[in-house]
Amino acid sequence: MTDRIEGSALRHMQIGEVAERTELSIKTIRHYDEVGLVRPSERSAGGFRLYTDADVQRLLVIRRMKPLGFTLDEMRQLLDSLEILASDPAADERANAQAFVTDCHTRAEESCRKLRTQVAYAEELTALLADHAATE
């Protein structure tokens, strides 16, 4: 299904295609809709959820945040903050959004450091065990 918005084609995807593109389950995408994180842009005449590329990008932000321990409220606030920064907001609104994005960036960097350490430990253990593992 394709609509025209401001002279450009807007492609809509059903939830199955979105699940494939985001590597999220259909159940998870529906849950994010139910809690208001990512609502489908439209519904088909038959009631099927229809998503745009912008919706997919929102889902990808959520997918990246989840393993780093962000809560649903923090995910919502980050998505809202990113939208604010992409628009032309008032100075105070921009400052609040920028501060939250900066905080999330700091937390994400710290999570990455911790995960790299955990991966290094796992690789060390794997190498140690490789010398003693039965090979076929």
Side-chain angles (χ1 to χ4, degrees):
M1 172 181 244
T2 304
D3 289 337
R4 293 273 175 194
I5 293 184
E6 297 177 14
S8 63
L10 181 63
R11 181 171 169 270
H12 288 94
M13 297 163 271
Q14 289 189 359
I15 197 167
E17 182 179 352
V18 173
E20 284 181 30
R21 288 183 64 184
T22 60
E23 298 178 346
L24 294 168
S25 70
I26 290 173
K27 181 179 177 182
T28 297
I29 296 170
R30 285 183 180 140
H31 173 69
Y32 292 151
D33 177 11
E34 290 165 7
V35 299
L37 274 178
V38 178
R39 299 235 185 251
S41 290
E42 289 193 34
R43 295 262 183 175
S44 70
F48 293 104
R49 291 168 173 89
L50 297 174
Y51 295 88
T52 63
D53 283 329
D55 299 327
V56 169
Q57 292 309 309
R58 284 179 65 92
L59 285 164
L60 290 172
V61 170
I62 294 166
R63 188 192 74 195
R64 292 171 183 133
M65 293 180 78
K66 181 133 180 68
L68 302 182
F70 288 90
T71 67
L72 292 176
D73 285 337
E74 291 168 330
M75 291 175 190
R76 184 177 293 108
Q77 188 175 353
L78 179 62
L79 291 167
D80 291 347
S81 294
L82 292 172
E83 283 186 14
I84 288 168
L85 294 175
S87 68
D88 189 23
D92 61 333
E93 191 177 23
R94 172 174 279 289
N96 290 336
Q98 189 67 58
F100 189 74
V101 169
T102 299
D103 179 58
C104 289
H105 179 254
T106 300
R107 287 179 56 196
E109 284 184 324
E110 180 59 28
S111 291
C112 287
R113 279 191 287 279
K114 288 178 183 176
L115 288 169
R116 278 192 283 280
T117 299
Q118 290 175 340
V119 167
Y121 291 161
E123 289 172 342
E124 289 170 6
L125 177 62
T126 301
L128 174 73
L129 296 177
D131 292 338
H132 304 288
T135 57
E136 295 182 70

